[in-house]
């Protein structure tokens, strides 16, 4: 059973940085995608950053390109989201998600993912 646990959410001022972490247990294969989604009140859950563990392929939402970086540790048991130049519109609950796949890249829709963490709140003030 895959278990995901996020940490690192906080309240920061615009222009600041945060690093989110997700501890992934129960993943015993390289054929997985690990991704970060976010959801603000009244909005749909959106994929922020995705990484294919086997290929290293990464994808980012247009709104975060050049500001956010997704990475994993060498053991592929942790996935990180480095968030720089934060904006008030980045305020949301951030979720770590995972699914097994033989594909080269990772899906961007919530229904692609069958494992989810509980989320960590990021709040960015002006």
């Amino acid at each position: 059973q895959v278990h995901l646990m996020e940490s690192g959410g906080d309240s920061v001022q615009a222009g600041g940085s945060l690093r989110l972490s997700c501890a992934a247990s129960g993943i015993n294969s390289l054929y997985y995608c690990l991704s970060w989604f976010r959801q603000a009140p009244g909005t749909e859950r959106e994929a922020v950053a995705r990484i294919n563990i086997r290929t290293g392929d990464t994808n980012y939402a247009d709104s975060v390109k050049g500001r956010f970086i997704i990475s994993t540790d060498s053991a592929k048991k942790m996935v990180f989201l480095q968030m720089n130049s934060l904006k008030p519109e980045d305020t949301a609950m951030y979720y770590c998600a995972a699914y097994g796949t033989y594909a080269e890249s990772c899906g961007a829709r919530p229904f692609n993912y069958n494992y989810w963490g509980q989320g960590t709140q990021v709040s960015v003030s002006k």
Side-chain angles (χ1 to χ4, degrees), residues 44-66:
E44 293 185 355
R45 192 168 294 191
E46 65 167 342
V48 174
R50 297 165 274 152
I51 186 166
N52 185 300
I53 293 177
R54 179 177 61 87
T55 67
D57 180 66
T58 58
N59 287 278
Y60 296 91
D62 288 343
S63 59
V64 306
K65 281 180 181 176

Side-chain angles (χ1 to χ4, degrees), residues 17-41:
S17 298
L18 281 175
R19 189 191 195 208
L20 304 184
S21 299
C22 173
S25 60
I27 293 180
N28 299 311
S29 167
L30 292 179
Y31 292 90
Y32 264 84
C33 282
L34 284 168
S35 299
W36 288 95
F37 283 75
R38 68 184 180 188
Q39 188 170 22

Side-chain angles (χ1 to χ4, degrees), residues 63-116:
S63 59
V64 306
K65 281 180 181 176
R67 299 190 298 124
F68 290 11
I69 300 172
I70 188 170
S71 62
T72 62
D73 68 336
S74 59
K76 313 301 183 185
K77 300 299 184 183
M78 297 287 295
V79 59
F80 306 101
L81 185 67
Q82 179 65 43
M83 305 188 295
N84 301 319
S85 302
L86 283 161
K87 304 175 181 180
E89 52 263 44
D90 294 319
T91 295
M93 185 72 78
Y94 283 71
Y95 298 92
C96 181
Y99 74 103
T101 181
Y102 291 105
E104 297 292 311
S105 59
C106 297
R109 302 295 182 91
F111 67 73
N112 294 130
Y113 296 78
N114 47 10
Y115 301 108
W116 293 86

